[in-house]
């Protein structure tokens, strides 16, 4: 946030077998003048061919993804600034969380035990919309190193590195007026991408030497009142970003030379959207809507359905992650009436196709252009995965 406040359906194509030929009826007897009229021979109609099932290739992750058994695995203390903001997952399913107002990182083990990993340094004169310094986005690289956005409103703004032994160091500088929110890892090219909610910019940071460049900016990323670019992930050679104020999900292609392509609007009407993650294979998304207190499933065509609410334990969700058969949702309780910051875990059921009615808006947005409020994003063509990129949203 910016401010406080399978089993896939196996559809077999059944080829209709030709109906067996019926034996020719015996010749009808020649009627005599005193015989009854002959009875017409009885024939059975040929069976109708079965209705072909839709091709399996037409199915998306949204057709099978279901969440069940939501439960709170860990609670935090709001009064101590323990507001879960973002999440990275360990290989064993433990969750590394940034606690924004406490500017520290904790690990929630699979049994719900919470332990401190690192606290980011105090900064004299820190001033942000949240008051003091805050920790926001987090990613984990394959060697266990964590990278965290640290917003201070001073020259100490930047991306910080937490080594596997808990040692904290500043890795890259960002402008003092930047508000780096979501953070994503490009494993293929060796970069981090940070979404700036204040400046409406996507920063690209080299993991080799910490060099920072403003990768792209534009009206679609700008804030209008609260927060602009916020959540960020990579999928199939493109950077995907949410804009909280606009309620949109955007896609920015990575060109062959590494520069940013034109910004495309892929979904709209996502009020209060924060961070998100992709499902297994395509562009199906699970996204956190902070103020509405919901997690929604966003389909590749831009329509969406609510899958978790406050009744399930959400308390101002901020981000989502998936590993294996589980979805993880941190909540910060920034705008909740009853403060209950927590980590919710739900099981992923790969079952029958979706029965919920998608929430559609009036008309699609033109590809590559900012949609007006209430418009639905035009579905785009899926790109082939490169180099086995199936789960850019997840930790290594």
């Amino acid at each position: 946030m910016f401010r406080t406040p399978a089993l896939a359906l196996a559809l077999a194509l059944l080829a209709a077998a030709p109906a067996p030929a019926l034996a020719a009826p015996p010749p009808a007897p020649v009627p005599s003048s005193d015989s009854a009229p002959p009875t017409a021979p009885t024939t059975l109609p040929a069976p109708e061919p079965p209705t072909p099932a839709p091709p399996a290739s037409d199915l998306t992750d949204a057709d099978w993804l279901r969440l069940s058994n939501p439960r709170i695995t860990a609670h935090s203390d709001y009064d101590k600034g323990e507001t879960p903001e973002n999440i990275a997952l360990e290989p064993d399913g433990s969750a590394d969380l940034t606690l924004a107002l406490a500017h520290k990182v904790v690990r929630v083990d699979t049994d719900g035990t919470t332990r401190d990993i690192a606290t980011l340094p105090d900064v004299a004169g820190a001033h942000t919309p949240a008051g003091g310094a805050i920790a926001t986005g987090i990613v984990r690289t394959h060697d266990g190193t964590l990278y965290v956005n640290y917003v201070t409103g001073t020259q100490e703004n930047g991306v910080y590195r937490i080594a596997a032994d808990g040692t904290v160091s500043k890795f890259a500088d960002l402008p003092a007026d930047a508000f780096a929110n979501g953070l994503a890892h490009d494993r293929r090219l060796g970069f981090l991408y940070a979404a700036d909610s204040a400046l409406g910019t996507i920063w690209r940071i080299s993991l080799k030497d910490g060099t920072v460049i403003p990768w792209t900016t534009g009206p679609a990323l700008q804030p209008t009142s609260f927060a602009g670019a916020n959540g960020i992930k990579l999928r199939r050679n493109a950077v995907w970003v949410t804009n909280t104020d606009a309620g949109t999900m955007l896609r920015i292609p990575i060109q062959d030379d590494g520069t940013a392509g034109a910004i495309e609007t892929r979904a709209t009407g996502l009020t209060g959207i924060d961070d998100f993650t992709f499902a297994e294979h395509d562009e199906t998304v699970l996204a956190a809507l902070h103020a509405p207190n919901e997690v929604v499933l966003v389909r590749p065509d831009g329509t969406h359905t609510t899958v978790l609410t406050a009744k399930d334990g959400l308390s101002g969700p901020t981000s989502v992650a998936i590993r294996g058969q589980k979805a993880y949702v941190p909540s910060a309780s920034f705008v909740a009436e009853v403060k209950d910051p927590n980590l919710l875990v739900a099981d992923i059921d790969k079952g029958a196709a979706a029965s919920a009615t998608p929430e559609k808006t009036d008309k699609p947005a033109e590809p590559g252009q900012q949609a007006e409020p209430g418009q639905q994003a035009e579905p785009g063509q899926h790109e082939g995965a490169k180099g086995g990129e199936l789960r850019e949203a997840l930790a290594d």
Side-chain angles (χ1 to χ4, degrees):
M1 291 297 297
F2 180 26
R3 301 181 177 176
T4 59
L7 184 56
L9 290 182
L11 299 175
L13 297 175
L14 301 176
L22 296 175
V30 179
S32 64
S33 58
D34 58 352
S35 66
T39 301
T42 301
T43 59
L44 297 175
E48 294 184 3
T51 302
S57 59
D58 287 349
L59 299 177
T60 69
D61 288 338
D63 292 305
W64 55 256
L65 194 152
R66 298 288 179 282
L67 299 184
S68 66
N69 189 29
R71 65 271 187 196
I72 305 300
T73 60
H75 295 269
S76 302
D77 189 335
Y78 187 88
D79 292 335
K80 294 180 179 178
E82 297 175 353
T83 50
E85 171 64 19
N86 211 258
I87 182 170
L89 296 179
E90 295 288 327
D92 67 353
S94 299
D96 297 329
L97 305 177
T98 52
L99 301 184
L101 301 181
H103 54 84
K104 68 180 181 179
V105 175
V106 299
R107 181 167 299 159
V108 180
D109 293 327
T110 54
D111 63 359
T113 303
T114 301
R115 52 196 170 98
D116 289 356
I117 297 299
T119 299
L120 300 179
D122 291 329
V123 175
H127 55 92
T128 70
I134 60 174
T136 54
I138 184 172
V139 298
R140 178 189 187 277
T141 56
H142 70 280
D143 61 356
T145 301
L146 300 174
Y147 292 87
V148 177
N149 290 334
Y150 194 28
V151 183
T152 69
T154 73
Q155 295 303 314
E156 297 307 315
N157 252 15
V159 179
Y160 283 66
R161 177 167 50 196
I162 303 173
D165 64 0
T167 303
V168 178
S169 59
K170 190 177 187 184
F171 178 69
D173 292 318
L174 290 173
D177 57 349
F179 195 106
N181 209 326
L183 188 64
H185 178 206
D186 185 343
R187 294 181 295 216
R188 185 171 64 92
L189 298 178
F191 294 114
L192 300 175
Y193 292 85
D196 191 325
S197 295
L199 302 181
T201 297
I202 305 302
W203 302 99
R204 192 183 75 180
I205 304 104
S206 170
L207 281 173
K208 181 179 179 181
D209 57 13
T211 301
V212 178
I213 65 167
W215 187 65
T216 193
T217 189
L221 298 168
Q222 296 294 324
T224 56
S225 60
F226 180 60
N230 193 333
I232 187 168
K233 294 291 181 290
L234 269 76
R235 172 55 49 116
R236 295 176 183 169
N237 216 34
V239 175
W240 290 65
V241 186
T242 62
N243 183 314
T244 299
D245 281 352
T248 52
M249 182 161 291
L250 311 168
R251 178 182 181 273
I252 311 168
I254 301 173
Q255 309 281 56
D256 290 342
D257 62 359
T259 59
I263 299 174
E264 308 163 4
T265 300
R266 288 304 188 90
T268 62
L270 301 168
T271 302
I273 189 168
D274 201 321
D275 215 333
F276 64 98
T277 194
F278 286 98
E280 280 197 346
H281 302 297
D282 59 20
E283 294 171 355
T284 298
V285 161
L286 286 176
L289 307 189
H290 185 78
N293 214 10
E294 297 174 348
V295 169
V296 296
L297 182 148
V298 185
R299 299 174 180 82
D301 67 0
T303 60
H304 65 275
T305 298
T306 300
V307 293
L308 292 172
T309 68
K311 292 181 179 179
D312 300 303
L314 298 181
S315 183
T318 52
S319 50
V320 187
I322 292 175
R323 183 174 293 283
Q325 300 300 106
K326 289 184 171 58
Y328 302 72
V329 186
S331 287
S333 271
F334 284 131
V335 297
E337 214 172 293
V338 177
K339 304 300 185 186
D340 181 25
N342 63 60
L343 176 64
L344 178 148
V345 177
D347 296 329
I348 296 176
D349 296 329
K350 297 184 177 181
S355 59
T357 302
E359 300 170 24
K360 295 190 177 183
T361 47
D362 296 332
K363 58 181 180 178
E366 292 296 327
Q369 295 192 9
Q370 178 74 6
E372 295 297 324
Q375 289 184 349
Q376 172 189 337
E378 181 73 13
Q381 295 183 354
H382 294 178
E383 303 170 12
K386 297 183 179 181
E389 289 181 80
L390 293 179
R391 303 303 301 273
E392 286 291 355
L394 301 181
D396 292 354

